[in-house]
Amino acid sequence: MPGYDTVPVTGWGRTAPTSAYLVRPRSYEETVAAIRECAAPGRRGGIARGLGRAYGDAAQNAGGAVLDMTGLNQIHAIDAAGGAVLCDAGISLHKLMEVLLPLGWFVPVSPGTRFVTVGGAIGADIHGKNHHVSGSFSRHVLALELLTADGEIRVVERGTELFDATTGGMGLTGVILTATVQLQRVETSLMSVDTERAADLDDLMARLTATDHRYRYSVAWIDLLARGAAMGRSVLTRGDHAPLEALPARVRHAPLAFHPGRLPSAPSFLPEGLLGRTSVGLFNELWYRKAPKSRVGEIQKLSTFFHPLDGVPHWNRIYGRSGFVQYQFVVGYGKEESLRRIVERISDRRCPSFLAVLKRFGEGDPGWLSFPMPGWTLALDIPASLPELGVFLDELDEEVAAADGRIYLAKDSRLRPELLSAMYPRLEDFRSLRARLDPRGVFRSDLSRRLNL
């Protein structure tokens, strides 16, 4: 596209870079003009991109355009009484927290980083530690404005086909311009947190099943290098927003203050193999041993509980130049044996993952390609340099599909397309709507080409 720079683009995992024309619109009019240019004959389409936290190739578009939407990042209206915000899709959850927490409101769903945009949160239909209570992000979106392939801006309401195709649709129905989001009322910007250790995977699942209903937020760090009787040993962390009366006297004067700390950036280059089995095994041992067997009511910062890695800018560099693969799947309740087999295979394979978490999902939301479904979800980071990693993950994909589970598209960079329809029953509906809405394929990404979306 004339007048635009060609740049290499990767996901947060820093694997499989491709080059695209980078477009930085600063108004809705510029965004419309860019999409019309993407639709011109001979162009390779375009895809919206936020802060680049999708791990795989969802916001890449080899030879085409990538629209950096972070320049459209304004809040247009706040209903401070009813708890709703109308904002640009390019605004980050971090900025929303800075503005809304002092007013006593928090975002309804947050993933493991606050450096994602509202548009990205909708396009990936993100989930958090509260899915078993609150569902995914789209459940709290009241309406959105969508720029479609014909250059028109449409108001998209909940309960419509276009809404359900867009929430979880990975940006392939159009560019989300604005959204109205219902918020969560809070009394403080701190968390009341309970922590306990689980001896193995069965112990962990039993604790989660029996007591998760008591907590708004719940997550377990799991040691995937532990084997034998200790396989799946975990540190379980759960909590809720701390009420005002639970705060220590020293912080009650500013209960809604939000000042997340930051550490120095990870170095731009680290040697391959730094996160090998020995080093990760040592980390996992220390992390498990230092965790309390049982601790109740600890007061923590929001950033500590929700976003610990955000304190280290560019933490994805610690995996070296080869990057890493984030692998996340879900299998339904009643499929616990499948989960055990997968965890055992990962443990036997000695995958050096120190960022591995297990959570329970509640009811899924209507998004046709939305990832969550009732069941168990496991996410882990694996160095991309691990020998024969692709073959191993292909085998795990087969296990997941056989258990009627699915892989999270926002983190995927390598799923084989033939497995997709088994994982997402509304896939053909999504393809059919895309064919009607965007017959020339204006909205494209490396992910859409790889999986024939």
Side-chain angles (χ1 to χ4, degrees):
M1 294 172 64
Y4 296 109
D5 295 330
T6 303
V7 298
V9 182
T10 73
W12 190 245
R14 305 176 75 204
T15 60
T18 56
S19 293
Y21 296 101
L22 183 63
V23 184
R24 293 188 175 95
R26 291 296 182 266
S27 67
Y28 302 150
E29 291 77 13
E30 289 184 8
T31 309
V32 171
I35 291 304
R36 287 177 174 163
E37 178 70 19
C38 291
R43 305 295 188 212
R44 286 178 59 83
I47 193 72
R49 182 180 177 92
L51 288 165
R53 292 304 179 102
Y55 286 81
D57 55 3
Q60 299 174 213
N61 183 25
V66 168
L67 280 68
D68 179 347
M69 297 300 296
T70 56
L72 297 174
N73 61 356
Q74 299 302 305
I75 293 176
H76 298 290
I78 299 173
D79 178 358
V85 61
L86 169 61
C87 59
D88 287 336
I91 196 171
S92 69
L93 298 191
H94 173 81
K95 185 173 180 180
L96 285 183
M97 291 176 197
E98 286 186 318
V99 173
L100 296 171
L101 273 169
L103 302 177
W105 297 102
F106 187 62
V107 295
V109 171
S110 178
T113 174
R114 61 188 180 273
F115 296 113
V116 298
T117 63
V118 167
I122 296 169
D125 201 13
I126 61 170
H127 56 271
K129 299 174 183 179
N130 59 340
H131 190 276
H132 63 293
V133 173
S134 302
S136 50
F137 197 88
S138 66
R139 186 177 301 185
H140 310 275
V141 177
L142 305 178
L144 57 90
E145 288 183 298
L146 186 72
L147 170 60
T148 50
D150 55 8
E152 298 299 317
I153 297 176
R154 308 185 186 203
V155 177
V156 184
E157 303 284 350
R158 292 178 57 84
T160 63
E161 283 193 339
L162 187 52
F163 187 93
D164 292 343
T166 300
T167 55
M170 306 311 296
L172 296 172
T173 61
V175 179
I176 301 169
L177 297 176
T178 70
T180 303
V181 182
Q182 185 68 52
L183 304 168
Q184 167 72 36
R185 170 69 82 179
V186 295
E187 293 184 17
T188 76
S189 61
L190 296 166
M191 302 295 295
S192 177
V193 180
D194 295 352
T195 305
E196 59 189 288
R197 292 197 316 223
D200 55 39
L201 184 61
D202 287 337
D203 182 27
L204 172 63
M205 290 194 292
R207 291 173 189 246
L208 287 167
T209 301
T211 60
D212 246 11
H213 64 279
R214 302 176 190 168
Y215 299 90
R216 179 176 296 275
Y217 302 99
S218 178
V219 68
W221 169 87
I222 184 169
D223 182 359
L224 291 176
L225 285 176
R227 292 189 287 183
M231 186 189 77
R233 66 179 182 177
S234 308
V235 178
L236 180 55
T237 308
R238 296 180 287 186
D240 207 336
H241 299 278
L244 185 60
E245 62 267 20
L247 299 193
R250 59 184 171 80
V251 296
R252 287 191 185 178
H253 68 284
L256 291 166
F258 179 61
H259 303 295
R262 287 169 75 83
L263 299 172
S265 296
S268 59
F269 169 74
L270 287 170
E272 301 291 343
L274 183 66
L275 294 180
R277 295 185 179 103
T278 300
S279 59
V280 172
L282 177 61
F283 170 87
N284 287 1
E285 182 70 27
L286 292 173
W287 191 259
Y288 181 77
R289 294 298 175 189
K290 86 174 187 66
K293 290 184 178 180
S294 180
R295 182 173 60 202
V296 177
E298 180 189 14
I299 300 299
Q300 292 184 3
K301 290 182 176 181
L302 280 170
S303 55
T304 301
F305 183 78
F306 286 104
H307 318 120
L309 287 174
D310 282 350
V312 184
H314 306 294
W315 63 262
N316 55 339
R317 294 173 180 171
I318 66 176
Y319 291 89
R321 288 177 175 169
S322 296
F324 68 99
V325 173
Q326 168 106 166
Y327 188 76
Q328 183 168 7
F329 67 90
V330 58
V331 294
Y333 296 123
K335 301 289 185 177
E336 286 77 12
E337 283 304 318
S338 297
L339 176 63
R340 288 188 189 93
R341 281 197 304 272
I342 292 172
V343 170
E344 186 172 19
R345 292 188 66 172
I346 294 170
S347 175
D348 289 344
R349 182 68 165 74
R350 309 294 288 158
C351 290
S353 176
F354 74 97
L355 297 175
V357 296
L358 183 74
K359 292 181 289 195
R360 294 173 76 247
F361 278 159
E363 290 298 320
D365 287 289
W368 292 348
L369 297 186
S370 183
F371 169 66
M373 55 182 265
W376 304 93
T377 181
L378 177 65
L380 61 149
D381 293 350
I382 311 172
S385 58
L386 197 69
E388 299 183 354
L389 177 61
V391 173
F392 177 66
L393 293 182
D394 283 348
E395 294 171 354
L396 295 191
D397 291 344
E398 297 281 356
E399 287 256 16
V400 171
D404 299 319
R406 58 184 60 150
I407 301 297
Y408 191 16
L409 297 183
K411 296 183 176 180
D412 176 56
S413 57
R414 24 118 346 252
L415 180 68
R416 302 197 313 276
E418 60 266 25
L419 293 179
L420 197 62
S421 59
M423 295 180 175
Y424 289 92
R426 300 298 300 271
L427 176 63
E428 289 309 315
D429 292 330
F430 180 82
R431 286 172 170 161
S432 176
L433 183 142
R434 278 252 297 154
R436 298 194 310 270
L437 191 67
D438 184 9
R440 291 179 294 169
V442 174
F443 294 106
R444 309 180 206 174
S445 65
D446 291 356
L447 174 78
S448 73
R449 281 188 285 267
R450 177 168 57 84
L451 295 179
N452 189 27
L453 291 172

